[in-house]
Amino acid sequence: MLGEFEYLILAATVRLGDDAYGAAIVQEIESATRRKCSIGGLYTTLDRLEAKGMIKTWMGNPTPERGGRSKRMVRVLAKGIAAATAFYEAVSTVSRGTSWQAGQSGVRK
Amino acid sequence: MAGRAVWGAKVSILWVRIRDALLRSLDPAECEAVCGDFVELAMTDSQAVKSLLGLVIRRQLRLWREWNPWFVLVALVIPVCPLLETLCNQLGQGIWPSLVMWLRHGVAYRTGLSPAAFWSGVCIRAMALSTWSWACAFALGTLSRRTIWVTGGLFFGLYLAFAIGAVHPSHRVFWLTGWSWLPLLISFLFVLLPAASGIRQSNKPQNMKFPRVFLLALWTVTMAVLTLWTQRWGQVVMDNWSRGGPAMTLSQLAQNADLWNAGPFLLVTAVLTAPIVYVLAKVYLQHARDHGVIRQG
């Protein structure tokens, strides 16, 4: 089963499509979670996901806004999509009928 | 206000240096990608350092799962450090009586050697110590480039542990005397400084060319042979003294040269010379492949 951060990376990568790379994924995760995302943690998790065969990374073209430096592009593979789908379905299933409102957490009647 | 601005600038430079040092330990491609991300995300130097620390530590731990850093640790760091410390101690103890006699009483300490022979021996041992420190550190930097922070830190740490531990607790009352701090001063001048230079020079690609490494190895072997020769002087001098002979000169010592009876010191010179010879072999193989003398694979 995927971890939370791994799922966030896969979801952000799919949302970004062809523009999925290190800094863009960080910005996508930070805007969704409203928490800081570490570059170091991102790259370590990208290595782990690549080792599991869920993503593919490669060095992209340099751009002026990056000081002429290349970016590490990311694409989700079929295995990653399957794992993310399983994670999403598991979270959806276990969350069905639950309410997270303050003072009222529990199963909705 | 001006003082605070200067202090702020110094701290900023410090963060930049730490960040650059951490980036150098990454793969070139990863380093470029991470640097670009820092620029694009407009991260400050301190934020970049905090972000990098975890990544660098994880990368280092991954490197230590391979055999190379362990080989360097076991074959180079662990045997070389105590040997360098022992030679440094011997050099200090050899010099100390002569220094005291000359500085306090204005007379030469009788060693059975002529003054020229005695100081030649000291110079040879000091140069050999510097050469071995530089060459072993150069080999360390060459063989463990990606893990140099850990292996280099262990090299210096282990050496200092032996050097400071060589002063026995019962002699702490003598800590302020020259007898105690002279070996530490010799350690700094003839071991630590050359070793730091060796590691620094190993980072420069032009120093990894075959002719330069060959000359370095040749010089190291020459110093090893000369030091083996000086190791025999003690026995030769004792034999001469027991016959009532005068102080021996360099030419008389040269006639009594018997390198192969240096006993265990042969093994010491072999261990200290082996790292640079190993690097020479590696560089030669690469040189031969590049020039088509040996086929790749």
Side-chain angles (χ1 to χ4, degrees):
Chain A
M1 187 75 161
L2 281 180
E4 173 200 336
F5 191 52
E6 290 172 331
Y7 177 78
L8 288 173
I9 290 174
L10 290 176
T13 305
V14 167
R15 273 178 69 90
L16 289 166
D18 292 338
D19 277 335
Y21 63 94
I25 295 172
V26 165
Q27 286 171 324
E28 188 73 17
I29 291 174
E30 285 181 348
S31 70
T33 61
R34 278 173 260 160
R35 278 181 0 207
K36 276 286 175 196
C37 174
S38 157
I39 290 270
L42 173 75
Y43 276 87
T44 309
T45 311
L46 284 178
D47 283 349
R48 200 161 56 239
L49 289 170
E50 195 165 21
K52 290 181 188 174
M54 293 186 185
I55 62 171
K56 182 185 164 186
T57 67
W58 69 98
M59 293 305 288
N61 295 325
T63 55
E65 57 266 18
R66 292 171 60 85
R69 294 182 180 90
S70 303
K71 35 184 140 173
R72 189 174 177 188
M73 307 300 295
V74 186
R75 185 167 66 227
V76 182
L77 301 176
K79 195 174 175 186
I81 292 174
T85 307
F87 181 92
Y88 180 78
E89 283 174 358
V91 171
S92 300
T93 305
V94 81
S95 306
R96 203 173 292 143
T98 54
S99 166
W100 299 107
Q101 285 178 349
Q104 293 179 20
S105 56
V107 177
R108 263 179 279 168
K109 296 205 168 96
Chain B
M1 282 288 279
R4 235 183 247 176
V6 168
W7 173 250
K10 284 183 181 169
V11 170
S12 183
I13 291 170
L14 182 63
W15 281 122
V16 168
R17 290 211 174 135
I18 295 173
R19 183 204 67 195
D20 291 345
L22 289 173
L23 282 169
R24 274 196 296 271
S25 65
L26 297 176
D27 272 334
E30 184 163 55
C31 176
E32 186 172 339
V34 168
C35 278
D37 289 341
F38 287 156
V39 168
E40 195 173 332
L41 294 169
M43 290 176 87
T44 62
D45 296 319
S46 58
Q47 288 171 333
V49 166
K50 286 167 196 162
S51 200
L52 266 176
L53 265 175
L55 179 63
V56 166
I57 289 171
R58 289 187 196 103
R59 290 287 182 260
Q60 287 290 308
L61 287 173
R62 193 170 69 177
L63 288 169
W64 280 86
R65 283 192 212 130
E66 296 166 20
W67 63 271
N68 308 61
W70 296 103
F71 170 70
V72 169
L73 194 64
V74 168
L76 204 159
V77 175
I78 291 174
V80 161
C81 289
L83 291 178
L84 286 178
E85 191 280 324
T86 304
L87 292 176
C88 188
N89 230 1
Q90 285 177 356
L91 183 64
Q93 286 167 5
I95 296 174
W96 181 245
S98 302
L99 273 179
V100 169
M101 292 299 285
W102 184 254
L103 292 172
R104 288 219 179 136
H105 307 289
V107 296
Y109 187 66
R110 291 181 67 183
T111 59
L113 294 168
S114 65
F118 175 75
W119 289 109
S120 298
V122 168
C123 286
I124 287 171
R125 287 192 198 115
M127 279 170 61
L129 190 57
S130 297
T131 301
W132 276 323
S133 302
W134 199 99
C136 289
F138 182 84
L140 178 72
T142 305
L143 298 172
S144 64
R145 175 58 26 214
R146 303 271 307 280
T147 55
I148 190 59
W149 286 103
V150 176
T151 49
L154 285 172
F155 181 87
F156 286 102
L158 195 62
Y159 177 82
L160 285 171
F162 277 106
I164 293 168
V167 180
H168 297 289
S170 59
H171 297 154
R172 269 191 200 138
V173 67
F174 298 120
W175 258 112
L176 292 177
T177 64
W179 179 79
S180 285
W181 56 253
L182 183 62
L184 292 176
L185 180 65
I186 292 174
S187 286
F188 178 72
L189 290 175
F190 295 112
V191 178
L192 298 177
L193 278 183
S197 174
I199 287 178
R200 202 179 160 86
Q201 294 299 320
S202 71
N203 202 19
K204 297 179 182 173
Q206 65 268 26
N207 289 334
M208 287 306 294
K209 302 284 182 201
F210 177 69
R212 286 199 186 191
V213 178
F214 176 75
L215 285 174
L216 172 61
L218 186 64
W219 175 252
T220 308
V221 169
T222 305
M223 293 314 304
V225 169
L226 287 174
T227 314
L228 275 176
W229 177 47
T230 64
Q231 284 296 313
R232 289 288 298 145
W233 290 3
Q235 184 60 47
V236 171
V237 162
M238 282 300 288
D239 290 344
N240 180 60
W241 175 79
S242 65
R243 288 192 297 269
M248 296 189 77
T249 61
L250 270 175
S251 54
Q252 287 171 320
L253 289 165
Q255 287 161 20
N256 285 283
D258 186 9
L259 295 176
W260 305 115
N261 274 331
F265 198 74
L266 261 180
L267 184 61
V268 170
T269 51
V271 170
L272 291 173
T273 310
I276 194 62
V277 172
Y278 179 77
V279 169
L280 176 65
K282 278 190 74 166
V283 168
Y284 172 73
L285 281 174
Q286 188 58 48
H287 177 81
R289 280 194 201 109
D290 291 345
H291 288 78
V293 176
I294 299 175
R295 261 187 265 166
Q296 298 272 359

